[in-house]
Amino acid sequence: MNQRSFGDIGAHGLMELQAEALYAHDSKGSLLTINEPGGGPAPRMFLGRTIQGTTVCRFRHDVPDDLVRRLEALCAEDGRGDLRSTPRHFDSYMYLLDAQVYTMGPAYLVPVDLADERPVASNPVTVTRQNAELLAGDFDWLIPEVDDAQPCIAAVSDGRAVSVCRSVRIASRAHEAGLETLPEFRGQGYAAAVVAGWAEAVRRADRIPLYSTFWDNHSSRRVAQKLGLACYGTDFVIV
């Protein structure tokens, strides 16, 4: 992906926006909590590696300062290499943080000019408190949260939502997408339709639409590929 696709902000700037959207920070830039209503503690380490070969790292507020300095030095050396593979200093990160659990996956910008292959689903609708009955049934769990998940865009079949894309992490400059599609409606264009509609709504609010997933989430990555989302890097997280 040509870096000009990211505009003036660049891949590194987008990775910084992602960190800002995913987690609440304190005044020193340390991670506090997951940036969503009722979000629990932030992970101990976030490392974003960009296609520009740069890194963005953040650490939870309770990681000791001397350990943070050691980890930051390692992160600075981890910008190069295959973004699909674990970072060069993976073993050191896991050892120093006495960790066993990590996640990793690609991070995308939803561009203005989506792929020419348009989603085949019917036009998605915006879901608010006023029409939240569309979520009844399979998306009951989302109804109490709908006010905090705007914009929330749904594809509807037979009067009920079958795929929903909403803002799950919201910051001053960017929104992070959350996508859910009922199993029996996957592979039919519904997910791509709601992601496209969500991104348009986010841009109308003068914010940047971001979409991230895990490498082993093949259905989510197929949506990204279908829409031609622009991958700007990979995030690596130690809980």
Side-chain angles (χ1 to χ4, degrees):
M1 176 61 63
N2 191 311
Q3 293 179 13
R4 288 179 299 178
S5 301
F6 302 129
D8 294 336
I9 193 168
H12 187 86
L14 288 170
M15 190 62 76
E16 290 184 321
L17 288 183
Q18 185 187 9
E20 176 186 341
L22 292 179
Y23 310 111
H25 295 63
D26 65 16
S27 59
K28 297 187 291 186
S30 300
L31 305 182
L32 294 172
T33 60
I34 296 171
N35 185 29
E36 59 186 42
R44 287 180 292 165
M45 173 178 169
F46 169 90
L47 170 61
R49 297 179 290 156
T50 78
I51 64 167
Q52 295 174 327
T54 62
T55 60
V56 173
C57 59
R58 301 283 188 272
F59 301 93
R60 201 167 65 196
H61 65 94
D62 55 357
V63 177
D65 290 343
D66 59 338
L67 181 53
V68 166
R69 288 190 289 270
R70 294 176 67 183
L71 291 166
E72 285 178 334
L74 295 173
C75 290
E77 300 174 353
D78 248 328
R80 302 293 178 179
D82 182 4
L83 296 183
R84 292 175 178 264
S85 300
T86 54
R88 171 185 173 190
H89 294 301
F90 171 81
D91 290 338
S92 295
Y93 299 139
M94 301 299 282
Y95 173 77
L96 290 170
L97 287 168
D98 190 23
Q100 297 182 351
V101 179
Y102 72 94
T103 63
M104 190 173 73
Y108 303 93
L109 169 70
V110 186
V112 175
D113 51 340
L114 292 173
D116 292 336
E117 181 185 355
R118 302 304 297 171
V120 300
S122 58
N123 289 332
V125 300
T126 300
V127 180
T128 65
R129 179 66 56 185
Q130 283 65 44
N131 61 348
E133 67 275 3
L134 292 172
L135 302 172
D138 295 289
F139 292 98
D140 277 339
W141 54 270
L142 180 54
I143 294 175
E145 306 171 9
V146 71
D147 290 338
D148 297 314
Q150 295 298 317
C152 178
I153 308 296
V156 177
S157 178
D158 294 328
R160 66 182 182 122
V162 298
S163 182
V164 177
C165 186
R166 67 203 188 282
S167 294
V168 291
R169 312 280 181 90
I170 299 174
S172 60
R173 294 178 292 170
H175 287 209
E176 176 83 10
L179 174 64
E180 303 281 347
T181 303
L182 301 183
E184 62 269 32
F185 290 92
R186 293 172 185 169
Q188 302 176 46
Y190 291 99
V194 295
V195 171
W198 169 82
E200 291 172 2
V202 170
R203 289 191 182 279
R204 285 197 297 271
D206 198 26
R207 301 294 186 270
I208 297 173
L210 304 178
Y211 179 103
S212 61
T213 186
F214 303 116
W215 286 117
D216 59 359
N217 190 336
H218 302 295
S219 60
S220 181
R221 288 173 53 207
R222 280 194 296 270
V223 172
Q225 183 178 21
K226 181 173 185 177
L227 287 172
L229 305 192
C231 182
Y232 56 86
T234 294
D235 57 53
F236 171 79
V237 173
I238 295 179
V239 298

